[in-house]
Amino acid sequence: ALSSGRAATGIRCVAVWIDTPLHLALARNSLRPTGEIVPETATRSVFGLLEAPTADEGFAEVIVVDGDVDDA
């Protein structure tokens, strides 16, 4: 577990969660070069499995970055 490894090394573990909405991830994916576009079904599937990290997992800090910036 993360907490047992951290205790053994004394290293402070920080999680960074980039909170990007699905619609924006799909839009950015569609702009990728041909051959590098991830199938929409795969993107939707992985998106549905993702969970934001928590301090309960042993992180000293969880930083949330707002990924809802439409710069694509």
Side-chain angles (χ1 to χ4, degrees):
L2 178 63
S3 58
S4 62
R6 183 173 50 90
T9 63
I11 296 172
R12 183 174 183 265
C13 295
V14 176
V16 178
W17 174 258
I18 302 172
D19 189 12
T20 303
L22 179 59
H23 72 88
L24 190 53
L26 292 171
R28 288 177 178 165
N29 184 49
S30 71
L31 298 174
R32 297 176 71 152
T34 303
E36 294 182 16
I37 294 175
V38 178
E40 184 174 333
T41 54
T43 302
R44 288 180 180 280
S45 176
V46 170
F47 189 87
L49 298 172
L50 294 175
E51 295 180 16
T54 66
D56 292 341
E57 296 174 87
F59 294 108
E61 181 180 2
V62 176
I63 299 169
V64 179
V65 177
D66 183 5
D68 194 5
V69 179
D70 192 1
D71 60 1

